[in-house]
């Protein structure tokens, strides 16, 4: 027989397997080589194809065997119903913002920036270096690598006015992303059944983390300029809350940035109430026409607990965030973070530190600012041109999102489904409200793939609203 192609061997063996009992042993590779007058590589290729098809299985060191035919019988998981019981709490579903983007849709929904906005070269080089470093095998300290903690502290120290004590590395805890940090903060600083003031609208993941902890949310209306301090003062007085979760810079979803006077007023109220302000500085690296001004830089009394994520600006794979807290609160937060995750992978911390300490990181941030500006403006223009019945309450000075008010009679869930059917993925604003939405909104993210398609996306939204 001439040298057989692997396809011929596959066909012949499949016939043999079909008539052999489950568990029957196949001839050795050497006998198959002889039988088919094929090279060992060709025989191996054929065997691999049959393994991939699930017809045979290889048990290393023992041999290759015919696999038992897969049964079509559905598994019975009914017993789990009794074992699980009913859930202690019904958590809200994760937002559409977490859905992956795909090439065949115009993605205006995503919460994480497209690859072209990431410092890809820096990240790849940092991973290569980290793989060769001790971090690839070692366990870092529970609070995080000292050098990375120093970096987070120094970033905030740079914004600290003279006369106030700047934070240091010993105030920092590294956590595996802000999402898990928010859970730790809500557990440590608020606790189940206790009230937490929260802006409305706010980041859906914060309401999810709060629901998981079981804290009681007290929504404070917040517009394009942030909340009204009188509302904050009243809510503290009425509820006895000891914490307020807020995003004073480029809030997700509405892009609000607090003016210095508002920041001062809220800080005063927080201090007077002996409370914490949990400041989520998620978009620190996404300033467009203004720079972020963290409130935490204006407080050295331990009232502001600050969290800054790198997962959006460095890379979604580098789930690293820095949490800065002063006083005994920090110990409590660290204990909680440790109970949940023990420590953050040293590889990820090393990569994060490597990227943000390269001179090219600053260059990247400067070019990112320009890219975000043109993407934002492109989407704003497209919406204004093609969806005239909608209203943008503000053009954000930073962040990644437009917060689009829709006509009051819009069925938002239906609009989102119709958009998806037309190849445009958008996020219903309802997810960003901790209570009933007071209006109809879409959150449109301008950091997704292919900004050239934004006008088409806006056209679809406008057409569906007009219809
Ligand atoms: C306001 C805000 N906080 C926190 C997070 C979560 O960040 P991380 O990716 O670090 O968990 C997000 C992500 O969308 C966010 O928008």
């Amino acid at each position: 027989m001439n040298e057989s192609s692997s396809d011929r061997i596959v066909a012949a063996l499949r016939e043999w397997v079909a008539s052999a009992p489950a568990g029957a042993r196949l001839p050795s590779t050497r006998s198959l080589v002889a039988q088919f007058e094929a090279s060992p590589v060709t025989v191996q290729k054929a065997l691999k194809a049959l393994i991939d098809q699930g017809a045979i299985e290889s048990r290393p060191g023992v041999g290759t065997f015919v696999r038992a035919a897969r049964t079509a019988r559905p598994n019975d998981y009914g017993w789990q119903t009794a074992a699980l019981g009913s859930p202690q709490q019904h958590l809200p579903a994760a937002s559409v913002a977490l859905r992956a983007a795909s090439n065949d849709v115009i993605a205006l929904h995503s919460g994480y920036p497209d690859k072209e906005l990431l410092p890809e070269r820096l990240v790849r080089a940092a991973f290569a270096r980290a793989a060769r470093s001790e971090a690839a095998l070692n366990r870092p300290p529970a609070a995080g690598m000292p050098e990375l903690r120093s970096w987070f502290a120094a970033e905030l120290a740079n914004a600290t006015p003279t006369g106030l004590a700047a934070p240091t590395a010993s105030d920092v805890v590294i956590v595996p992303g802000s999402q898990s940090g928010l859970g730790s903060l809500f557990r440590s600083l608020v606790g189940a059944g206790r009230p937490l003031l929260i802006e409305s609208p706010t980041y859906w993941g914060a309401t999810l983390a709060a629901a998981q902890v079981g804290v009681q949310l007290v929504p404070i209306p917040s517009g394009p300029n942030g909340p009204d301090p009188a509302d904050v003062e009243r809510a503290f007085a009425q509820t006895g809350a000891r914490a307020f979760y807020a995003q004073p810079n480029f809030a997700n979803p509405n892009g609000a940035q607090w003016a210095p006077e508002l920041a001062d007023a809220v800080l005063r109220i927080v201090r007077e109430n002996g409370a914490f302000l949990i400041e989520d500085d998620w978009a620190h690296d996404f300033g467009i026409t203004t720079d972020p001004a963290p409130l935490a830089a204006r407080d050295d009394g331990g009232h502001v607990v600050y969290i800054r994520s790198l997962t959006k600006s460095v890379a979604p794979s580098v789930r690293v965030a820095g949490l800065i807290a002063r006083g005994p609160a920090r110990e409590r937060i660290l204990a909680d973070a440790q109970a949940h995750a023990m420590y953050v992978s040293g590889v990820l911390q090393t990569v994060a530190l490597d990227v943000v300490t390269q001179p090219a990181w600053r260059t990247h941030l400067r070019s990112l600012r320009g890219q975000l500006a043109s993407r934002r403006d492109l989407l704003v223009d497209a919406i204004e041109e093609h969806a005239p019945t909608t209203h943008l309450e503000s053009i954000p000075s930073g962040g990644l999102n437009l917060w689009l008010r829709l006509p009051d009679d819009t069925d938002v869930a239906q609009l989102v489904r119709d958009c998806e059917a037309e190849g445009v993925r958008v996020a219903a604003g309802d997810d960003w409200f901790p209570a009933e939405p007071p209006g109809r909104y879409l959150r449109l993210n301008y950091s997704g793939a292919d900004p050239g398609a934004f006008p088409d996306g806006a056209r679809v939204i406008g057409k569906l609203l007009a219809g």
Side-chain angles (χ1 to χ4, degrees), residues 112 177-179 203 245 247 252 280 282 309 311-312 319:
Y112 288 83
S178 287
Q179 186 62 33
Y203 167 49
Y245 165 79
Q247 302 170 59
N252 175 6
D280 186 345
W282 74 285
S309 173
T311 63
K312 286 191 170 63
R319 288 199 60 73

Side-chain angles (χ1 to χ4, degrees), residues 197 227 229 232-233 236-237 241-246 248 258 262-279 295 299 301-305:
L197 309 193
V232 179
E233 193 152 31
F236 270 121
R242 289 304 178 93
F244 176 21
Y245 165 79
W258 298 6
L262 174 60
D264 284 340
V266 172
L267 264 180
R268 178 187 55 74
I269 295 164
V270 164
R271 288 188 185 118
E272 282 171 5
N273 283 276
F276 292 104
L277 180 82
I278 300 173
E279 178 178 19
L295 254 71
D299 169 67
H303 285 282
V304 182
V305 176

Side-chain angles (χ1 to χ4, degrees), residues 100-401:
S102 71
N103 288 339
D104 49 355
V105 294
I106 300 173
L108 299 174
H109 69 292
S110 177
Y112 288 83
D114 182 49
K115 198 170 124 184
E116 82 164 27
L117 296 175
L118 302 176
E120 180 178 350
R121 219 171 30 79
L122 291 181
V123 172
R124 289 191 188 282
F127 267 110
R129 280 191 284 272
R132 295 191 297 268
S133 76
E134 285 304 302
L137 297 169
N138 283 352
R139 176 169 62 86
M145 282 171 39
E147 303 86 340
L148 184 59
R149 279 159 40 202
S150 294
W151 180 83
F152 273 111
E155 286 274 299
L156 194 55
N158 286 341
T160 302
T162 43
L164 287 185
T168 65
S170 60
D171 300 317
V172 179
V173 177
I174 305 296
V175 289
S178 287
Q179 186 62 33
S180 91
L182 292 178
S184 284
L185 290 173
F186 297 161
R187 268 187 302 275
S188 326
L189 306 181
V190 188
R194 294 175 50 193
L196 169 71
L197 309 193
I198 191 162
E199 290 168 294
S200 173
T202 191
Y203 167 49
W204 62 266
T207 46
L208 178 62
Q212 207 221 358
V213 175
V215 309
Q216 261 216 309
L217 292 181
V218 181
I220 310 283
S222 190
N225 299 314
D228 181 339
D231 288 336
V232 179
E233 193 152 31
R234 198 175 316 112
F236 270 121
Q238 282 174 352
T239 63
R242 289 304 178 93
F244 176 21
Y245 165 79
Q247 302 170 59
N249 288 283
F250 319 135
N252 175 6
N254 63 9
Q257 183 173 31
W258 298 6
E261 302 73 42
L262 174 60
D264 284 340
V266 172
L267 264 180
R268 178 187 55 74
I269 295 164
V270 164
R271 288 188 185 118
E272 282 171 5
N273 283 276
F276 292 104
L277 180 82
I278 300 173
E279 178 178 19
D280 186 345
D281 199 14
W282 74 285
H284 190 90
D285 299 315
F286 302 137
I288 298 177
T289 47
T290 60
D291 291 318
L295 254 71
R298 297 155 172 256
D299 169 67
D300 60 2
H303 285 282
V304 182
V305 176
Y306 173 84
I307 185 156
R308 173 176 171 189
S309 173
L310 293 179
T311 63
K312 286 191 170 63
S313 52
V314 171
S317 61
V318 184
R319 288 199 60 73
V320 168
L323 200 155
I324 303 186
R326 322 234 196 152
R330 191 241 184 205
E331 290 317 305
R332 206 178 275 197
I333 295 163
L334 174 58
D336 183 276
Q338 229 176 320
H340 275 81
M342 209 81 94
Y343 57 87
V344 179
S345 155
V347 171
L348 298 185
Q349 295 191 55
T350 303
V351 168
L353 180 68
D354 185 329
V355 170
V356 297
T357 51
Q358 298 289 336
W361 168 245
R362 293 275 145 216
T363 321
H364 165 76
L365 289 182
R366 271 195 299 279
S367 104
L368 180 61
R369 188 178 270 257
Q371 282 172 290
L372 288 178
S374 21
R375 283 162 163 267
R376 179 199 63 179
D377 295 347
L378 184 60
L379 190 55
V380 168
D381 291 349
I383 288 291
E384 285 176 348
E385 181 178 349
H386 300 299
T389 60
T390 65
H391 175 63
L392 280 172
E393 282 167 0
S394 72
I395 311 291
S397 53
L400 307 174
N401 306 299

